[in-house]
Amino acid sequence: MAEKMPAIMKTKPAYGAELVEVDVPKPGPGEVLIKVLATSICGTDLHIYEWNEWAQSRIKPPQIMGHEVAGEVIEVGPGVDTLEVGDYISAETHIVCGKCYACRHNRYHVCQNTKIFGVDMDGVFAEYAIVPAQNAWKNPKDMPPEYAALQEPLGNAVDTVLAGPIAGRSTLITGAGPLGLLGIAVAKASGAYPVIVSEPSEFRRELAKKVGADYVINPFEEDPVKAVMDITDGAGVEVFLEFSGAPKALEQGLAATTPGGRVSLLGLFPRDVTVDFNNLIIFKALEVHGITGRHLWETWYTVSSLIQSGRLNLDPVITHKYKGFDDFEEAFELMKAGKTGKVVFFPHKG
């Protein structure tokens, strides 16, 4: 194995990133070194690339980017007895403390001291990466690396869709970006019907159809609330899943939800949002869930089982595959323009 490797690094506090050569890291106590087989771009990575307000407040360059990953263990650090060389793993990217109030109540997904790969420490956009052994998830050997790398964001979608009953429930999904597309796949695999998607991008509306959406709405050309009411004979949807982070989509989705229905919110909003709580939530007795991270490790079992079942239609979600990192800027710019689903890098070109 070489001593140096290419990596996508946020080198300075400005727009963009650079492909640099860095030392291959060595695993410390409780860590393993993996050969990265596949790694995918997340919305968080795009925020860091764009250097938005959140990134400016959180990221401390220079730092290797990326956190969604699948790889092979090639070296085991001291004290690791749960993994061995040759294991094929994915990674839970939230490193939790295990000691705070939330952790001690088994709410690890909202650990008050969470650290994240590629956000609070070096990430996985490289040929090799360090993973804490406690964050490793062993994969079946026959799972494609691009699927294995998607398990982390797929966990977000699973927790959003399955926060309540979904089988046989009419469902509205706002936003068909990468996570919204995964949400469509999970909803369809779990028996939701009809699945209605509101998405302004023509490219992503077409992807939503390929993944299995039953109805697709352009909210810039028709009123999503009226469309939903027409489809549901005036009842509104039983389940509203918000993936877009668009304030108008939130308002429309709440208005389109039937009284007593369920709402799951995963999209992050760019600013404070004003909502008519009285008429859209309280008087309608809506059940509202905020979704963050994944439940450790329950959600991982669900995700892995769904993939292995063959019921998830993931291929249309993965729209771009790159061998190596040479074209990473193209990948980020396409994603920024809304012209991708999930983008996957395969770092080793051979």
Side-chain angles (χ1 to χ4, degrees):
M1 185 177 68
E3 294 182 356
K4 299 283 187 178
M5 65 178 184
I8 301 173
M9 179 175 283
K10 189 72 178 181
T11 55
K12 54 182 180 284
Y15 185 93
E18 295 182 55
L19 185 60
V20 300
E21 189 175 71
V22 298
D23 292 335
V24 174
K26 296 287 291 183
E31 298 177 336
V32 297
L33 177 67
I34 65 168
K35 176 182 179 180
V36 177
L37 300 177
T39 179
S40 48
I41 300 178
C42 172
T44 300
D45 303 316
L46 183 59
H47 295 326
I48 295 170
Y49 182 85
E50 294 176 319
W51 201 238
N52 69 1
E53 289 185 15
W54 169 83
Q56 292 175 36
S57 69
R58 182 76 177 266
I59 308 302
K60 296 177 174 59
Q63 186 169 274
I64 298 172
M65 297 170 60
H67 56 274
E68 299 175 0
V69 68
E72 178 187 353
V73 175
I74 60 170
E75 189 175 343
V76 176
V80 175
D81 57 9
T82 54
L83 296 168
E84 58 187 30
V85 172
D87 282 344
Y88 173 37
I89 68 166
S90 295
E92 167 53 56
T93 63
H94 289 192
I95 302 172
V96 301
C97 73
K99 300 175 182 179
C100 68
Y101 183 88
C103 286
R104 288 171 67 87
H105 283 78
N106 296 320
R107 298 196 289 264
Y108 298 104
H109 63 298
V110 286
C111 169
Q112 294 161 282
N113 301 303
T114 298
K115 303 293 183 185
I116 305 174
F117 300 176
V119 174
D120 303 299
M121 62 195 67
D122 278 338
V124 299
F125 284 169
E127 289 187 342
Y128 301 92
I130 295 294
V131 173
Q134 69 176 18
N135 284 66
W137 174 265
K138 292 182 182 179
N139 295 313
K141 293 292 187 182
D142 60 351
M143 182 179 289
E146 58 268 39
Y147 284 17
L150 289 192
Q151 287 178 109
E152 194 257 19
L154 191 51
N156 296 133
V158 163
D159 277 3
T160 305
V161 175
L162 301 184
I166 192 71
R169 302 301 208 272
S170 54
T171 300
L172 171 64
I173 291 177
T174 50
L179 277 173
L181 292 170
L182 293 174
I184 297 168
V186 173
K188 292 299 296 183
S190 302
Y193 183 82
V195 173
I196 307 163
V197 176
S198 178
E199 167 57 51
S201 163
E202 181 179 359
F203 178 84
R204 286 177 168 169
R205 287 198 303 274
E206 290 304 312
L207 287 181
K209 294 175 185 176
K210 291 179 181 178
V211 176
D214 299 296
Y215 299 90
V216 179
I217 299 164
N218 181 347
F220 290 174
E221 294 185 354
E222 60 179 315
D223 178 2
V225 179
K226 182 180 184 304
V228 166
M229 292 303 174
D230 288 345
I231 293 166
T232 59
D233 295 328
V237 289
E238 286 283 348
V239 180
F240 166 39
L241 309 175
E242 210 304 295
F243 287 90
S244 73
K248 188 63 175 178
L250 173 64
E251 180 182 349
Q252 293 168 337
L254 292 172
T257 304
T258 197
R262 190 251 297 184
V263 178
S264 290
L265 308 176
L266 180 68
L268 298 179
F269 298 92
R271 59 186 181 276
D272 290 347
V273 178
T274 300
V275 171
D276 182 355
F277 267 74
N278 291 344
N279 292 307
L280 292 181
I281 298 176
I282 297 171
F283 291 149
K284 292 177 72 173
L286 298 187
E287 178 184 340
V288 181
H289 299 258
I291 308 296
T292 186
R294 295 144 299 281
H295 286 81
L296 306 182
W297 286 87
E298 302 97 318
T299 301
W300 280 86
Y301 283 100
T302 302
V303 167
S304 183
S305 294
L306 280 171
I307 291 176
Q308 292 179 76
S309 75
R311 297 179 66 185
L312 280 181
N313 186 18
L314 294 180
D315 286 335
V317 178
I318 304 170
T319 57
H320 292 73
K321 299 179 181 181
Y322 291 89
K323 287 189 176 181
F325 296 120
D326 292 344
D327 297 321
F328 82 92
E329 289 176 306
E330 173 189 283
F332 273 97
E333 294 298 333
L334 284 170
M335 190 168 179
K336 177 184 175 184
K339 296 180 179 179
T340 71
K342 288 298 288 184
V343 177
V344 181
F345 295 111
F346 300 89
H348 298 268
K349 299 178 183 179

